[in-house]
Amino acid sequence: MIIQKEEANGNLYQLSLFSTGFLPGMSPRQREKRRQQTAEYKKRLNAKARLWRLMQIICANFEQMRDLFVCLTYAEAPENEGRCLEAFHRKIKRALVKYGIEHGYVAVTTAHDMPEADTPVRVHHHLIMHGAMGPKMYIKIRDEIARCWPHGDVDVRPLRQNEEFFRDTAQYFLDQPTAKGARKYSCSRNLKQPNEPIRLRLPESAAGEVPPGVIVIEDDPYTNQYGHYRYLVGRIFDRHAFNRYWERQRKKAAPDPWERLRRRQRRAEVRPRYGGGA
């Protein structure tokens, strides 16, 4: 039996497969080895899940070249960098209203040194935030960001997609060293949340099929003596074909109450009857 999880956000399609449970006839020693293997693989699984989650958030809310990648630094060590960032969000939110832009962001506060800076910089903030297309809009928003950040230098660049679905940007955010116990990144509340995944338990022969309308970008299968694992990333190029497939998968995973009733009735019709008679 295979557990299959599918996720679709925008043109980003993601599939993960893994086998679970102990195989019949395993000895206690074999079961313990499997637990150790599973614990080690769980770390890799969690790391990939964090990366995929951030990719989904970025893809669902931001666009290449319209939106911005921003770095905010300090000329002097701040007493409370959290309050400084909160004040910036309040100011830039008000400033962007006149351009018809709703301030939305993903932010990470990092503590590594920036040797390329003109002055010594340690604590600083990276943000992905909403921008706008149009004549001189980049310059206008850049100037508003600089005005709203009086604590040090500001670096504003158009958001670029150097790798598919901003994978490099998401990985960069997650690789940033943060304070002990701090979240890896924070998001504004107005961002769209990724769609709910579809989870199914399938026989091995029926799992892992690439949906119609999807081009595979990355396919990472992994097998050991304890099970099979696979992680696939694809781009949805035919929305009509994919939507038909997705609707079928949704019905399999969580059919509506009337569909469940119809299934019970069909099973009752084909079930052999016992007992009774003239």
Side-chain angles (χ1 to χ4, degrees), residues 217-237:
I217 295 172
E218 176 188 352
D219 192 353
D220 182 18
Y222 179 76
T223 303
N224 58 27
Q225 66 267 39
Y226 304 114
H228 309 286
Y229 312 89
R230 183 183 180 190
Y231 302 95
L232 183 146
V233 178
R235 176 179 289 278
I236 302 171
F237 71 92

Side-chain angles (χ1 to χ4, degrees), residues 61-96:
N61 293 278
F62 300 98
E63 293 183 16
Q64 180 177 222
M65 302 307 293
R66 181 199 70 181
D67 296 318
L68 306 170
F69 188 93
V70 179
C71 181
L72 307 175
T73 66
Y74 293 90
E76 298 180 358
E79 294 183 4
N80 190 319
E81 63 272 12
R83 291 183 180 177
C84 293
L85 188 60
E86 288 175 3
F88 168 78
H89 288 314
R90 289 195 299 269
K91 292 177 182 178
I92 196 65
K93 181 179 180 179
R94 291 193 296 266
L96 293 180

Side-chain angles (χ1 to χ4, degrees), residues 7-14 52 55-56 59 165 233-234 236:
E7 299 171 89
N9 291 278
N11 291 326
L12 171 62
Y13 171 79
Q14 295 161 304
W52 280 17
M55 289 167 59
Q56 291 166 0
C59 289
F165 304 113
V233 178
I236 302 171

